[in-house]
Amino acid sequence: MGAFSLSIDGFGAGPEQSLEAPLGKRGGELHRWFFATKTFCSMVGEEGGSTGVDEHYASRGNSGFGAFILGRNMFSHSRGDWADLSWKGWWGDNPPYHAPTFILTQYPRESIVMEGGTTFHFVTGGIEEALERAKAAAGDKDVKIGGGVSTVRQYLTAGLIDEMHFAISPVLLGRGEAMFEGIDVPGLGFKVVAHENTELATHIVLAK
């Protein structure tokens, strides 16, 4: 299962990811719908937040999963070998996953146990090994493909995703990481099974 925010022109992240811009330049604009929700406020220790349709999808996309799979860029801004072992992700000591989380990488690293039930495991054997380990860790719960764009594209084209939620934000990025470029989504068997509009996003669910 996957859930992801996109711009109107199909980008799931802005260009030039860095320590200062984890989502790439202007990438944060894709997630305004999420930042306004009760789920996000709770994740960052704040009160309040919206409770309507955006909250429904925010909660649905961030709870009830038994394991997560993330690409290297979702965990770190660095590239190459793990030169800085003090880096433990973007989220501080208590990441929002609260479940085993498998990071795709070409460079081995020991697992990292974090607060709140998250343990980061680093997988060098590719997307199928990561999925096999995630399914074993998740038990009877779902596995979420958390991103980024390259990771979702790999699992999508390999036929390893059964349902996807996209929140289309009213934003044009112009450039960045394109989600569907070169991919025949209906040819992979997907169709739209739900769609709802809010002020900040159009929520679309695709399933086989």
Side-chain angles (χ1 to χ4, degrees):
M1 183 174 185
F4 220 70
S5 295
L6 295 178
S7 66
I8 292 173
D9 45 352
F11 296 105
E16 300 174 39
Q17 182 198 38
S18 66
L19 188 60
E20 294 75 25
L23 302 172
K25 290 184 176 179
R26 296 185 58 214
E29 296 178 30
L30 304 179
H31 303 275
R32 287 175 178 163
W33 72 272
F34 178 58
F35 296 152
T37 63
K38 181 179 179 181
T39 290
F40 179 78
C41 289
S42 177
M43 287 170 59
V44 297
E46 298 178 358
E47 299 291 331
S50 66
T51 59
V53 171
D54 288 333
E55 165 58 20
H56 166 75
Y57 283 100
S59 176
R60 182 175 180 264
N62 289 276
S63 61
F65 294 98
F68 293 82
I69 297 174
L70 306 178
R72 163 80 180 253
N73 292 4
M74 287 285 289
F75 176 81
S76 174
H77 64 289
S78 66
R79 303 293 184 268
D81 203 359
W82 299 100
D84 180 10
L85 294 180
S86 67
W87 180 266
K88 298 180 180 180
W90 301 100
W91 312 274
D93 294 329
N94 190 354
Y97 301 105
H98 312 299
T101 301
F102 297 85
I103 310 296
L104 297 167
T105 178
Q106 296 178 353
Y107 300 90
R109 181 173 176 177
E110 294 294 322
S111 297
I112 306 173
V113 179
M114 306 294 288
E115 295 177 11
T118 300
T119 298
F120 291 119
H121 302 285
F122 300 89
V123 181
T124 58
I127 63 171
E128 293 189 358
E129 179 189 330
L131 184 58
E132 181 179 345
R133 292 178 60 182
K135 284 183 174 179
D140 59 358
K141 293 184 177 180
D142 287 334
V143 173
K144 178 175 178 179
I145 310 300
V149 172
S150 174
T151 297
V152 175
R153 285 174 56 87
Q154 288 180 68
Y155 278 100
L156 179 58
T157 55
L160 298 174
I161 294 178
D162 54 10
E163 181 178 292
M164 298 183 291
H165 160 233
F166 290 103
I168 312 299
S169 298
V171 173
L172 290 166
L173 288 185
R175 60 195 184 105
E177 297 185 40
M179 178 62 71
F180 298 123
E181 184 177 6
I183 298 178
D184 179 359
V185 178
L188 292 171
F190 287 94
K191 60 182 179 181
V192 176
V193 296
H195 58 91
E196 294 185 80
N197 296 315
T198 72
E199 181 181 352
L200 296 175
T202 298
H203 297 280
I204 297 173
V205 180
L206 305 178
K208 294 182 177 181

